């Protein structure tokens, strides 16, 4: 400032320093001295006080003509022009309050002021930020100004206002920055230090607006309605009614800092749930826009600013705010490279947004695995959104595609838990839009779903539907060392129990799970060891937990086949994760309040502590002769093949038969039908002979 005073007073008689007037202005600068445009005053302040004159002459000398200033013959010799401008500035400062902004900008600022009550300092700071983005001359002069380490002093110098007032207005706690209308950097030229949080605000300088909503139409958008109902979200916890009551009470009491986090896999209905909540409490729902004023997707940090601005804009309205897809804001860091997330880099600001927001806000995310616990604890409710339970999925599919699929097809597709409501809706829409008469709609729907599920890393429809109830299973043909009918009856009464089935392959252990689920009128969640095991450390434990949780949510019978793959005796464990896998299984089993079935072909070597936790350990062995004969006769009757006496005698002598052997032979008959009972018997003999545990003949043949 001392340098400025020296330049401003240079070559002036001492007796006239305090009496500068219009007549003392050099003729070369007379046009500026007569101007009443506030932008010109800001420009002259930057040219003189922020040393922008040198850069302007060197980089943008043609702009001097727009200011009606002479261009120095030697662009490096700017001292005479600077001295003349110092005199002009002295004259302009004497009547600084008479300077005005453009009519359009001033009218729009008055419009904002009537809504938000900005102070004079806030209005001028916002106007400067707007003009730096919309006035080419002001922007280029600002670029030529010297960098400053104190942006508050720099902006105060340009605005001609006390630095303390400017710092208070532009502080992080001030309304302009807290709401994201402007942003401030710590060092640089004025165009870098002061900027708009929303590019849309440039319109304030170019178009007369009729309402404030026109300014912020790219920040907020009214959420569309939804066709879903409360019953579609009967599975969420806390229940839907509780969440709606919390929001209703928050609006009634005008309590600040109410936040709800909905997270879960894509397509589980998080956004639709938010819209339904708004409809339930009869409050408009506004969504933070993904797009900027140019129609481009916003980056992560600007979206946080938009959320803060939206809170400011909606203050005083009875409404809800939806901040959708916040994964990138809370999960975009890297532990490996020490990169903080967007939210962590502005932790104090995000915490302030969570704690003091006047409008209840619903946040949605697909994953929150990296969210800082300090953020999580500031949410009133954190709700995990899962795919609906089986019966609820059936009801939803009936509503969505009752005109496209029959009841059996609906039950089949309902088994595909990974086909979330959004995925299923999109697939149905695709099938309905394409008329195809040569292929059934159900087949087309499965093909469309398989493509989406494979891209998401999920199993196909065919693989997911393996848990459908068995239609032809007869428990009386199962050679078990316990009364399976009695066990099923007991489980129907208690609703919980743990069964371990063991024995040779093909004896009907997996089929028993299907039959039991159908008998209990419950869905079946069937997992094989390959569904649970993982090459990643700790992932198998998570998969086990998910399997038990899925069964608990669906009220389903949980069956895990081939448990010998991971439930080995811990005393013989060689690696730490072998112990942790068994520990996790035991922990989940203890807390599971439902029906659980484990099956294995290899009983020896299972963990002793795990075996103690099973209510029943049932051996399912090879079929007894009378069972084999009864199943043989039933099969021949279904195929309209005469049952010959020799074949009956042969099947009675054949040991080590299993229901699985009959299933294989039945599939062969579907390819090439058998001619007679002897051919069926021969096929069964071959299946027994192929078994590795079949006894070998001793002696000469």
């Amino acid at each position: 400032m001392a340098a400025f005073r020296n330049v401003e007073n240079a070559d002036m008689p001492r007796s006239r320093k305090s009496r500068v007037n219009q007549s003392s202005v050099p003729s070369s600068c007379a046009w500026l001295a007569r101007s009443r445009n506030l932008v010109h005053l800001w420009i002259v302040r930057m040219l003189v006080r922020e040393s922008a004159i040198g850069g302007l002459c060197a980089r943008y000398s043609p702009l001097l003509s727009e200011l009606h200033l002479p261009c120095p013959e030697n662009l490096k010799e700017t001292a005479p022009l600077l001295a003349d401008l110092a005199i002009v500035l002295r004259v302009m400062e004497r009547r600084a309050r008479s300077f005005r902004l453009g009519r359009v900008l001033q009218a729009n600022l008055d419009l904002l002021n009537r809504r938000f009550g900005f102070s004079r300092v806030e209005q001028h700071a916002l106007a400067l930020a707007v003009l730096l983005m919309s006035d080419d001359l002001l922007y280029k002069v600002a670029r030529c100004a010297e960098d400053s380490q104190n942006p508050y002093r720099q902006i105060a110098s340009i605005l001609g206002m006390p630095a303390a007032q400017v710092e208070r207005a532009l502080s992080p706690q001030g309304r302009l920055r807290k709401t994201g209308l402007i942003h401030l950097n710590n060092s640089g030229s004025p165009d870098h230090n002061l900027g708009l949080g929303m590019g849309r605000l440039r319109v304030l300088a170019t178009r007369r607006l009729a309402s404030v909503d026109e300014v912020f139409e790219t920040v907020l958008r009214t959420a569309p309605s939804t066709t879903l109902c409360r019953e579609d979200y009967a599975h969420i916890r806390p229940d839907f009614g509780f969440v709606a009551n919390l929001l209703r009470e928050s609006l009634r009491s005008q309590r600040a800092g109410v936040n709800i986090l909905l997270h879960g896999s894509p397509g589980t209905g998080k956004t639709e749930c938010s819209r339904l909540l708004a409809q339930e409490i009869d409050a408009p729902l506004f969504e933070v826009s993904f797009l900027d004023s140019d129609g481009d997707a916003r980056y992560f940090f600007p979206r946080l600013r938009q959320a803060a601005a939206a809170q400011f804009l909606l203050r005083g309205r009875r409404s809800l705010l939806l901040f959708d897809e916040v994964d990138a804001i809370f999960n975009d860091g890297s532990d490996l490279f020490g990169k903080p997330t967007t939210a962590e880099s502005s932790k104090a600001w995000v915490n302030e947004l969570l704690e003091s927001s006047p409008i209840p806000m619903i946040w949605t995310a697909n994953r929150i695995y990296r969210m800082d616990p300090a953020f999580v604890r500031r949410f009133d409710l954190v709700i995990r959104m899962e795919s609906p339970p089986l019966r609820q999925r059936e009801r939803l599919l009936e509503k969505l595609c009752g005109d496209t699929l029959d009841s059996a097809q609906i039950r089949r597709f309902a088994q595909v838990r990974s086909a979330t409501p959004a995925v299923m809706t999109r697939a149905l829409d695709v099938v309905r839009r394409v008329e195809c008469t040569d292929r059934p709609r159900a087949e087309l729907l499965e093909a469309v779903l398989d493509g989406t599920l494979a891209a998401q890393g999920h199993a196909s429809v065919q693989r997911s539907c393996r848990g459908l109830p068995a239609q032809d299973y007869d428990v009386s043909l199962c050679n078990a060392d316990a009364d399976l009918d009695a066990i099923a009856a007991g489980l129907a009464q208690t609703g919980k129990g743990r069964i371990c089935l063991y024995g040779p392959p093909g004896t009907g252990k997996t089929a028993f799970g299907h039959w039991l689920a159908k008998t209990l009128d419950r869905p079946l969640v069937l997992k094989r060891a390959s569904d649970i095991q993982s090459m990643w450390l700790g992932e198998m434990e998570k998969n086990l937990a998910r399997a038990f949780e899925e069964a608990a949510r669906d009220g389903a019978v949980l069956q895990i086949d081939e448990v010998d793959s991971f439930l080995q005796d811990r005393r013989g464990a060689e690696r730490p994760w072998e112990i942790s896998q068994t520990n996790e299984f035991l922990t989940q089993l203890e807390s599971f309040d439902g029906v659980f079935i484990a099956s294995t072909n290899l009983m020896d070597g299972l963990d002793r502590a795990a075996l103690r936790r099973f209510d029943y350990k049932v051996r399912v062995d090879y079929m007894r002769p009378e069972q084999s004969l009864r199943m043989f006769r039933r099969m021949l009757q279904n195929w309209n093949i005469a049952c010959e006496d020799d074949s009956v005698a042969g099947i009675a002598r054949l040991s080590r038969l299993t229901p699985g052997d009959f299933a294989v032979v039945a599939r062969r008959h579907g390819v090439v039908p058998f001619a007679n009972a002897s051919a069926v018997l021969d096929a069964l003999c071959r299946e027994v002979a192929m078994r590795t545990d079949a006894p070998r003949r001793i002696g000469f043949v």
Side-chain angles (χ1 to χ4, degrees), residues 22 25-26 29-36 88 91-92 95 99:
Q22 188 71 31
V25 175
C29 304
W31 180 84
L32 268 179
R34 291 193 299 270
S35 174
R36 293 292 188 273
V88 171
V91 172
M92 297 173 81
R95 48 185 175 78
F99 284 84

Side-chain angles (χ1 to χ4, degrees), residues 50 92 131 155 162 222 235 247 272 307 325 346 397 418 467 469 550 565-566 615 642 657 684 693:
E50 303 303 319
M92 297 173 81
L131 290 168
I155 295 169
T222 304
H235 60 289
L247 292 172
E272 292 298 313
E325 304 292 348
S346 304
L397 286 176
S418 53
E550 179 183 344
S565 299
F566 61 87
D615 306 320
L657 268 176
L684 289 171
D693 62 345

Side-chain angles (χ1 to χ4, degrees), residues 158-209:
I158 298 170
L159 297 178
M161 295 180 173
Q165 294 183 19
V166 172
E167 184 170 359
R168 190 160 49 249
L170 300 183
S171 69
Q173 289 73 38
R175 289 187 297 176
L176 292 179
R177 288 182 63 188
K178 191 175 179 180
T179 58
L181 295 178
I182 67 170
H183 63 84
L184 201 68
N185 293 317
N186 293 326
S187 63
S189 57
D191 65 296
H192 178 262
N193 281 341
L194 182 65
L196 289 175
M198 295 173 286
R200 173 70 178 174
L201 289 176
R202 287 177 294 185
V203 75
L204 294 175
T206 58
R207 178 164 60 89
R208 183 75 176 266
L209 304 176

Side-chain angles (χ1 to χ4, degrees), residues 260-299:
I260 296 174
L261 176 61
L262 306 179
H263 69 99
S265 302
T268 49
K270 300 181 291 295
T271 303
E272 292 298 313
C273 182
S274 304
R275 295 169 180 172
L276 184 61
L277 284 168
Q279 289 179 199
E280 182 76 14
I281 64 176
D282 192 24
L285 176 68
F286 295 92
E287 300 179 357
V288 178
S289 178
F290 289 93
L291 305 178
D292 60 19
S293 57
D294 299 321
D296 299 324
R298 287 193 174 100
Y299 290 106

Side-chain angles (χ1 to χ4, degrees), residues 147-255:
D147 292 349
S148 173
Q149 300 294 324
N150 188 338
Y152 301 111
R153 186 214 63 79
Q154 184 187 63
I155 295 169
S157 174
I158 298 170
L159 297 178
M161 295 180 173
Q165 294 183 19
V166 172
E167 184 170 359
R168 190 160 49 249
L170 300 183
S171 69
Q173 289 73 38
R175 289 187 297 176
L176 292 179
R177 288 182 63 188
K178 191 175 179 180
T179 58
L181 295 178
I182 67 170
H183 63 84
L184 201 68
N185 293 317
N186 293 326
S187 63
S189 57
D191 65 296
H192 178 262
N193 281 341
L194 182 65
L196 289 175
M198 295 173 286
R200 173 70 178 174
L201 289 176
R202 287 177 294 185
V203 75
L204 294 175
T206 58
R207 178 164 60 89
R208 183 75 176 266
L209 304 176
S211 69
V212 176
D213 292 341
E214 289 186 60
V215 185
F216 304 108
E217 60 187 13
T218 59
V219 179
L220 290 172
R221 62 178 183 179
T222 304
S225 59
T226 179
T227 58
L228 300 181
C229 60
R230 290 184 62 163
E231 288 72 21
D232 295 322
Y233 291 97
H235 60 289
I236 68 171
R237 295 291 180 271
D239 63 80
F240 185 89
F242 176 86
V243 181
N245 288 336
L246 173 66
L247 292 172
R248 190 180 289 111
E249 185 278 330
S250 301
L251 292 175
R252 184 174 59 250
S253 63
Q254 297 183 351
R255 187 162 62 90

Side-chain angles (χ1 to χ4, degrees), residues 234-504:
H235 60 289
I236 68 171
R237 295 291 180 271
D239 63 80
F240 185 89
F242 176 86
V243 181
N245 288 336
L246 173 66
L247 292 172
R248 190 180 289 111
E249 185 278 330
S250 301
L251 292 175
R252 184 174 59 250
S253 63
Q254 297 183 351
R255 187 162 62 90
V258 176
N259 297 274
I260 296 174
L261 176 61
L262 306 179
H263 69 99
S265 302
T268 49
K270 300 181 291 295
T271 303
E272 292 298 313
C273 182
S274 304
R275 295 169 180 172
L276 184 61
L277 284 168
Q279 289 179 199
E280 182 76 14
I281 64 176
D282 192 24
L285 176 68
F286 295 92
E287 300 179 357
V288 178
S289 178
F290 289 93
L291 305 178
D292 60 19
S293 57
D294 299 321
D296 299 324
R298 287 193 174 100
Y299 290 106
F300 313 137
F301 190 75
R303 288 197 65 213
L304 269 177
R305 287 203 296 263
Q306 306 310 314
Q311 285 286 345
F312 178 68
L313 300 175
L314 294 174
R315 185 183 296 269
R317 294 192 186 184
R318 186 181 183 278
S319 57
L320 301 178
L321 183 63
L322 172 61
F323 195 3
D324 215 352
E325 304 292 348
V326 298
D327 303 63
I329 293 172
F330 291 103
N331 295 329
D332 60 338
S334 171
D335 293 330
L336 180 62
F337 298 103
K339 177 182 177 294
T341 65
T342 297
E344 288 171 339
S345 62
S346 304
K347 193 167 188 177
W349 188 39
V350 175
N351 285 342
E352 178 73 12
L353 179 63
L354 287 168
E355 292 175 348
S356 61
S357 299
I359 305 300
M361 187 183 299
I362 302 174
W363 309 60
T364 71
N366 296 329
R367 297 179 302 276
I368 59 170
Y369 66 96
R370 288 205 74 248
M371 183 180 283
D372 191 322
F375 295 138
V376 175
R377 74 174 183 82
R378 286 174 165 82
F379 286 93
D380 295 78
L381 293 176
V382 179
I383 302 174
R384 182 175 178 181
M385 303 289 289
E386 295 282 1
S387 183
L390 179 63
R391 291 189 178 89
Q392 196 169 326
R393 293 199 298 273
E394 289 181 356
R395 189 182 61 80
L396 184 60
L397 286 176
E398 177 67 32
K399 183 169 65 174
L400 290 174
C401 51
D403 60 336
T404 304
L405 305 176
D406 59 33
S407 57
Q409 292 168 338
I410 288 175
R411 285 195 300 273
R412 183 170 185 270
F413 282 111
Q415 291 285 327
V416 190
R417 185 181 180 87
S418 53
T420 58
V423 171
M424 182 64 74
T425 302
R426 176 59 60 87
L428 279 168
D429 182 60
V430 171
V431 171
R432 284 171 176 155
R433 283 189 282 119
V434 179
E435 290 296 332
C436 187
T437 58
D438 59 334
R439 296 182 66 185
R441 277 190 169 183
E443 185 179 336
L444 288 172
L445 179 60
E446 182 170 339
V448 174
L449 282 175
D450 280 347
T452 303
L453 295 175
Q456 293 180 330
H458 300 305
S460 65
V461 173
Q462 179 72 27
R463 182 175 173 84
S464 299
C465 290
R466 67 186 181 202
L468 286 173
Q471 301 298 324
D472 56 354
Y473 182 79
D474 185 350
V475 71
S476 66
L477 297 177
C478 187
N479 183 18
D481 62 358
D483 189 341
L484 298 181
D485 280 312
I487 292 175
L491 293 175
Q493 292 291 326
T494 62
K496 57 183 178 180
R498 307 163 187 170
I499 305 171
C500 179
L501 303 177
Y502 67 98

